[in-house]
Amino acid sequence: MSSQRKKWSIGLLTAVLIGSITLAGCSKGNNAENASESASPATETTSASASASPSEASPSASEPYELKWLKAQDISVPYDPAKDVVKQAIEQKLNIKINPEMVDVQQYKTKLNLKMSSGDIPDVVRIDFADDFQKYAPLGAFVDLTDLINEQDTPNILREVPKEIFEQAKVNGKIYGIPYQGGPGAGYRWNLVLRKDYLEAMGASVPQTLDEYYNLLKKVKAEKPDVIPLGGYTAQIGQTKFANNSFDNVFGAFGVTPGFFTETDGKFGNYDIDPRMKEALLFLQKMYAEGLIDKEFATIKEEQLRAKLYSGKLFSWMGWWSTPNDYDTQVETNELIKSKKLKADEKLPDQSEQPFKYLSLTGSLVGSDGKAVAPMGAPFSQMTAISAKTKDPKKVLAIIEQSLSPENQMLTVWGIEGEDYKLDNGKLKTVTDLLDPKTKQDKNGNFRGTQSYLFAPGLNGWPRYLESLPLRYSQSLDVAINNKFQITDASNYLDSPTKIAKLVELNTMRDSVFTQIIMGGDIKKFDDFVEKWKSQGGTQILSELEESFKKKSGN
């Protein structure tokens, strides 16, 4: 690291970071994303010199590599790391020694910032990308991994994090950390949900194209005049939900999605002002005029949409991946009550392990070109970074690399096979009754910190995550996150002061204009909106994004 780098502020005036990635220093620890997730170093191979590759520079097989880090923990829940058998299994298998410093999950971010400011930086840091990481990385807080992340030395890391994601995570053209998401991974989370029993009654099948869907909705309208073909609802803060998800499949079939920025060869645009958006709005306007869209879509809340569904008055809508299970059960309950097979005050048992009875789920509808877009969230929210003060950065990187092998991820994410999880006919099932709900200990008095000591980025989901879910949840999430038409917002991780200042205002204007058009307003309103969007901050946002893109790329 160049001696000309800036000295750190806030307690680091005397801690100027000098030298290369072989800087001497104490072996610090890593941290956690939340109460159930914290970084987990792991390796089994022998030690190597600092000049070795990450895959070679791993801890000694005879002497555990000691690591200290912050572990976010809900302090209201009993836990003693000294009695954590999963932690002990990780230490034994990966030849490491974990010395966690416990911090309340609500105070984790504050505590980490205090450590960063004082120079007491853990070896491996789990840190929010949007603010803290981008603040500390340019100051020399983290090891430059640009030349250390490669197919030969870090295949596990690159399997988990594609090269294009590393490009988005760069700061000043350099890689200072490994993007992290966790859980089911980054991805689209919505499905087009339809009443399966209505489909069967009409002799119809689940549509794959927008034209098929449109014709199906017309069939519903003709044969079931009391049923709303397509429902929508507003967001909690009053913004029209269609701008985000209620009409995803219609917008997506035209190759656009409201609100997302695009990038081609360094030039930025926005789908809100794309000519194809105008075509999509005209199509929705036609659907609305023909009675295929709920007349109340722009005013009702989700709970009102659910009431229409439960009463049998709704055919299709865009649903969050986890909701169909409960919806299917509620529809079945109402149908059984109507047929006198269930009393009004009776409830059905858990149905989550049974196939869907009343609902069908599908992914994006394709347009005339056979393509679509589905707006997914940002691919990562945090970074796993190595402190520039660590005594052996390449060894720590080797630990991260080794911890991300499929076998080691199974241990850090799911725990001990046969105890924390079992393989039933090859399918993973977590054991849910292992711990006492009050003491959080097993019958032997041990704690079991699954997902407490891990590195798994989870950009593609934790290993075998879908298997761990009940059948209905697994099926609905599988449809959503495996939608092959997913796209991300090109403005993710880029700087634009005008975007921060003006985007809410621009989105509010968009939602109002788009709603008016769908409900029969003059399509000329779209052209007026485009001009206002540009003049009221949009053009400046695009310019700032292009500059930030160049800077991040190191140009």
Side-chain angles (χ1 to χ4, degrees), residues 35 72-79 103-105:
Q73 178 71 27
D74 182 351
I75 61 174
S76 67
V77 177
Y79 177 71
V103 58
D104 182 66
V105 64

Side-chain angles (χ1 to χ4, degrees), residues 40-51:
S40 166
T43 189
E44 294 176 318
T45 52
T46 58
S47 61
S49 67
S51 61

Side-chain angles (χ1 to χ4, degrees), residues 258-509:
F260 269 42
F261 287 87
T262 62
E263 179 270 322
T264 303
D265 297 328
K267 301 298 293 183
F268 279 71
N270 188 284
Y271 281 131
D272 287 351
I273 59 174
D274 191 299
R276 291 171 296 176
M277 181 63 74
K278 186 175 184 178
E279 297 176 31
L281 290 170
L282 282 172
F283 190 83
L284 285 165
Q285 185 183 76
K286 180 175 75 168
M287 292 176 66
Y288 183 86
E290 294 175 355
L292 305 183
I293 296 175
D294 188 356
K295 298 296 183 183
E296 299 181 305
F297 82 88
T299 58
I300 65 172
K301 301 294 183 181
E302 186 181 10
E303 56 268 25
Q304 294 168 291
L305 182 81
R306 290 198 300 265
K308 295 181 181 185
L309 167 67
Y310 299 161
S311 65
K313 300 297 184 182
L314 180 66
F315 171 68
S316 68
W317 75 102
M318 292 301 298
W320 182 249
W321 75 271
S322 63
T323 58
N325 170 61
D326 295 336
Y327 290 178
D328 196 288
T329 299
Q330 189 61 53
V331 170
E332 181 182 7
T333 299
N334 284 10
E335 292 296 326
L336 290 174
I337 291 175
K338 282 192 286 185
S339 63
K340 307 297 183 181
K341 296 180 180 179
L342 195 69
K343 295 180 180 178
D345 59 348
E346 285 188 282
K347 292 184 178 180
L348 291 172
D350 180 25
Q351 307 288 306
S352 61
E353 288 289 2
Q354 298 183 23
F356 285 107
K357 300 175 183 178
Y358 287 87
L359 304 179
S360 290
L361 292 75
T362 189
S364 292
L365 303 169
V366 299
S368 58
D369 60 356
K371 299 179 180 179
V373 298
M376 64 178 283
F380 63 92
S381 58
Q382 295 185 312
M383 298 291 287
T384 297
I386 299 174
S387 169
K389 284 191 165 187
T390 192
K391 63 181 180 182
D392 194 339
K394 290 185 177 179
K395 181 178 290 187
V396 175
L397 182 61
I399 289 173
I400 298 174
E401 164 65 17
Q402 196 70 12
S403 76
L404 293 179
S405 71
E407 177 185 0
N408 291 338
Q409 286 195 56
M410 288 298 294
L411 174 60
T412 59
V413 172
W414 300 120
I416 301 171
E417 182 178 352
E419 299 179 27
D420 298 286
Y421 72 92
K422 297 179 180 179
L423 295 179
D424 184 5
N425 293 322
K427 185 175 181 180
L428 183 147
K429 290 293 181 184
T430 57
V431 179
T432 58
D433 59 355
L434 194 59
L435 301 180
D436 183 291
K438 292 183 178 180
T439 66
K440 302 300 180 183
Q441 293 171 281
D442 62 21
K443 62 182 180 180
N444 297 317
N446 296 316
F447 294 97
R448 313 190 71 90
T450 57
Q451 299 169 16
S452 288
Y453 302 97
L454 55 83
F455 274 119
L459 299 191
N460 298 315
W462 286 340
R464 308 183 76 157
Y465 184 86
L466 290 176
E467 292 179 42
S468 72
L469 300 173
L471 177 63
R472 288 184 180 176
Y473 290 104
S474 177
Q475 289 178 338
S476 58
L477 182 59
D478 182 44
V479 171
I481 65 175
N482 288 314
N483 187 318
K484 66 180 181 180
F485 298 110
Q486 297 177 77
I487 63 167
T488 57
D489 188 329
S491 69
N492 287 334
Y493 318 119
L494 298 179
D495 296 324
S496 170
T498 306
K499 180 185 174 185
I500 295 173
K502 292 288 188 178
L503 194 60
V504 171
E505 177 184 331
L506 293 176
N507 287 347
T508 300
M509 177 172 60

Side-chain angles (χ1 to χ4, degrees), residues 535-551:
S535 63
Q536 295 181 18
T539 298
Q540 182 63 25
I541 292 174
L542 299 180
S543 177
E544 291 171 357
L545 291 176
E546 288 169 8
E547 287 301 314
S548 180
F549 182 81
K550 292 178 182 178
K551 181 179 179 181

Side-chain angles (χ1 to χ4, degrees), residues 195-217:
R195 281 289 295 260
K196 180 168 66 173
D197 53 332
Y198 290 179
L199 278 172
E200 293 172 348
M202 295 185 298
S205 57
V206 175
Q208 302 299 314
T209 71
L210 180 59
D211 284 343
E212 290 174 355
Y213 182 54
Y214 171 69
N215 290 327
L216 176 61
L217 296 186

